[in-house]
Amino acid sequence: MNTQRIDRVRANLQARDLDQLLIVDPLSIWWLTGYYTEPYERLLALHLPRIGVPTLFVNRLFPDASNTGARIVSHSDTDDPIPMLSAVIDPTRPLGVDKELSARWLVPLMQAGAARAFVLASDAVDDARAIKDTREQELMRAASAVNDEAMAWLVEQVRPGVTELAIAEGLLGTYRRLGAEDHSFSPIVSFGPNAADPHHEPDETALAAGDMVLFDVGCKRDWYCSDMTRTFFTAEPTEHQRAVYETVLRANEAAEAIVRPGVTCAEIDLTARRIIEDAGWGPQFNHRLGHQIGLQDHEPGDVSATHDEPVQPGMCFSIEPGIYLPGDLGVRIEDLVIVTEDGCEVLNRYPKGVQIIG
């Protein structure tokens, strides 16, 4: 049991006037207890009281959880876990639940009157997970270092006639060779006009002469995720291509330059967005500036015009402005940053200036 993390979640519960929380997200349970299993259709749940010993509900098929420091309640496939949960939940107080609690468990708990009320309280854990401790920051740096090396490999694969899919399919082996375990999300490899779709799925499109190339990739190493985007040229850029690229680069660098404690996510987004709008491509920057990241590639808490919360030391999120011109080109440049006491640390080292490859 990680007592420091437990204490942070409990402080968040107190701030929300909640005395108990039911957590079913396996990654959040691992983050708090060090215990991980994928439950599939079975119940895995951690009941966290604001005061007292947490209770971990596990199926007997799951790995041994006795070393977590939690009280263990086990059940089999033929048991109904609802009475077991109800026996631990305080029926006189509201119960906070996380967003992953499915209706198959939530509705029976409500019907049983297990708690006085049911409150969506994922943010008690999400807000705690958003502040990365020293060890987590080290792991985020290590995952991004692997991603930097992988980007160099990707660049080496660019040659006439190669397909997007061929490059994408070779990336996992490279990640594993570099010490990562898996992708943190499906890689995006886009040639030419395909990059105008921000979430383009690699296909059999072959590289044509003069195509621009966009790579948006990330790996998972020691539980933690990386995410980076770079856009390249395969021929001397036209004036138009260079203007789009340099606008996105200015937006990326300007946003990173203002990140520091107390600045809001909305201000960071606006800094990048204003540069793109002033250049005449405002409508073509059609997504938020960034997202938080950690155990998952996209974690709650975005960098957008509607998020007025100030950033805090230890937060890690992406800065990824883009311009997307359908039928023509797409440019996105993305880094991850960790907020420090007086600014931010950019985790990605792979160069961002104009590069001609292939």
Side-chain angles (χ1 to χ4, degrees), residues 114-125:
R116 194 183 78 194
F118 294 82
V119 180
L120 181 60
S122 286
D123 55 356
V125 180

Side-chain angles (χ1 to χ4, degrees), residues 157-159 161-167 189-196 200 203-208 211-215 234 328:
Q157 310 315 303
V158 176
R159 59 187 182 276
V162 70
T163 67
E164 296 171 342
L165 195 58
I167 294 179
V189 178
S190 306
F191 296 161
N194 286 347
H200 173 71
D203 57 28
E204 294 292 349
T205 298
L207 185 72
D211 273 352
M212 295 176 68
V213 176
L214 184 151
F215 295 121
T234 60
D328 184 5

Side-chain angles (χ1 to χ4, degrees), residues 27 30-31 36 129 132 135-148 150 175 179-186 216-229 291-300 314-318 320 334-338 346-348:
L27 283 174
W30 173 84
W31 186 75
Y36 183 83
R129 278 177 50 179
K132 307 298 186 285
R135 177 57 177 159
E136 289 179 296
Q137 292 180 34
E138 292 173 355
L139 294 171
M140 294 296 297
R141 292 186 190 100
S144 283
V146 170
N147 217 23
D148 284 339
Y175 276 145
E181 294 84 37
D182 204 351
H183 296 294
S184 55
F185 60 94
S186 297
D216 184 349
V217 297
C219 66
K220 183 169 283 193
R221 183 182 186 274
D222 293 332
W223 294 91
Y224 285 82
C225 295
S226 61
D227 189 356
M228 173 173 56
T229 307
H291 56 84
Q292 296 205 51
I293 184 171
L295 294 175
Q296 296 168 292
D297 176 53
H298 283 216
E299 295 195 332
M315 284 185 171
C316 185
F317 49 83
S318 65
E320 48 181 303
E334 175 187 16
D335 296 312
L336 300 184
V337 301
I338 293 178
V346 179
L347 298 187
N348 301 103

Side-chain angles (χ1 to χ4, degrees), residues 18-306:
L18 286 171
D19 290 326
Q20 54 184 339
L21 176 65
L22 191 65
I23 304 165
V24 298
D25 174 24
L27 283 174
S28 290
I29 291 174
W30 173 84
W31 186 75
L32 291 166
T33 70
Y35 178 83
Y36 183 83
T37 191
E38 176 53 61
Y40 299 105
E41 76 277 10
R42 298 178 171 90
L43 178 72
L44 171 68
L46 180 69
H47 178 264
L48 178 63
R50 193 160 61 83
I51 299 172
V53 179
T55 301
L56 184 62
F57 296 84
V58 296
N59 191 285
R60 291 191 179 94
L61 288 176
F62 296 167
D64 179 34
S66 60
N67 64 349
T68 61
R71 172 175 171 257
I72 305 300
V73 174
S74 59
H75 57 278
S76 69
D77 283 352
T78 56
D79 293 327
D80 179 2
I82 299 303
M84 300 179 190
L85 288 166
S86 299
V88 173
I89 296 167
D90 183 349
T92 69
R93 300 291 296 168
L95 175 68
V97 299
D98 82 15
K99 57 186 177 293
E100 302 299 330
L101 184 63
S102 66
R104 65 175 301 198
W105 307 121
L106 176 59
V107 172
L109 283 172
M110 296 173 71
Q111 291 172 336
R116 194 183 78 194
F118 294 82
V119 180
L120 181 60
S122 286
D123 55 356
V125 180
D126 295 340
D127 291 352
R129 278 177 50 179
I131 309 300
K132 307 298 186 285
D133 60 30
T134 300
R135 177 57 177 159
E136 289 179 296
Q137 292 180 34
E138 292 173 355
L139 294 171
M140 294 296 297
R141 292 186 190 100
S144 283
V146 170
N147 217 23
D148 284 339
E149 291 188 70
M151 187 64 71
W153 177 87
L154 287 164
V155 167
E156 292 173 354
Q157 310 315 303
V158 176
R159 59 187 182 276
V162 70
T163 67
E164 296 171 342
L165 195 58
I167 294 179
E169 288 181 339
L171 181 57
L172 181 56
T174 296
Y175 276 145
R176 290 176 173 167
R177 176 177 58 82
L178 294 171
E181 294 84 37
D182 204 351
H183 296 294
S184 55
F185 60 94
S186 297
I188 297 173
V189 178
S190 306
F191 296 161
N194 286 347
D197 174 4
H199 287 160
H200 173 71
E201 295 184 6
D203 57 28
E204 294 292 349
T205 298
L207 185 72
D211 273 352
M212 295 176 68
V213 176
L214 184 151
F215 295 121
D216 184 349
V217 297
C219 66
K220 183 169 283 193
R221 183 182 186 274
D222 293 332
W223 294 91
Y224 285 82
C225 295
S226 61
D227 189 356
M228 173 173 56
T229 307
R230 293 292 185 265
T231 306
F232 300 96
F233 300 93
T234 60
E236 186 65 31
T238 66
E239 184 176 339
H240 167 63
Q241 290 173 331
R242 184 182 289 272
V244 173
Y245 186 92
E246 292 181 347
T247 298
V248 174
L249 179 58
R250 287 199 309 274
N252 168 274
E253 293 177 336
E256 291 174 359
I258 73 157
V259 176
R260 64 184 182 277
V263 173
T264 70
C265 292
E267 290 172 316
I268 299 168
D269 179 281
L270 180 61
T271 297
R273 198 166 301 278
R274 186 177 290 127
I275 289 171
I276 293 174
E277 288 173 347
D278 289 348
W281 287 299
Q284 285 73 48
F285 178 20
N286 54 16
H287 56 75
R288 63 190 178 182
L289 181 64
H291 56 84
Q292 296 205 51
I293 184 171
L295 294 175
Q296 296 168 292
D297 176 53
H298 283 216
E299 295 195 332
D302 60 8
V303 185
S304 74
T306 61

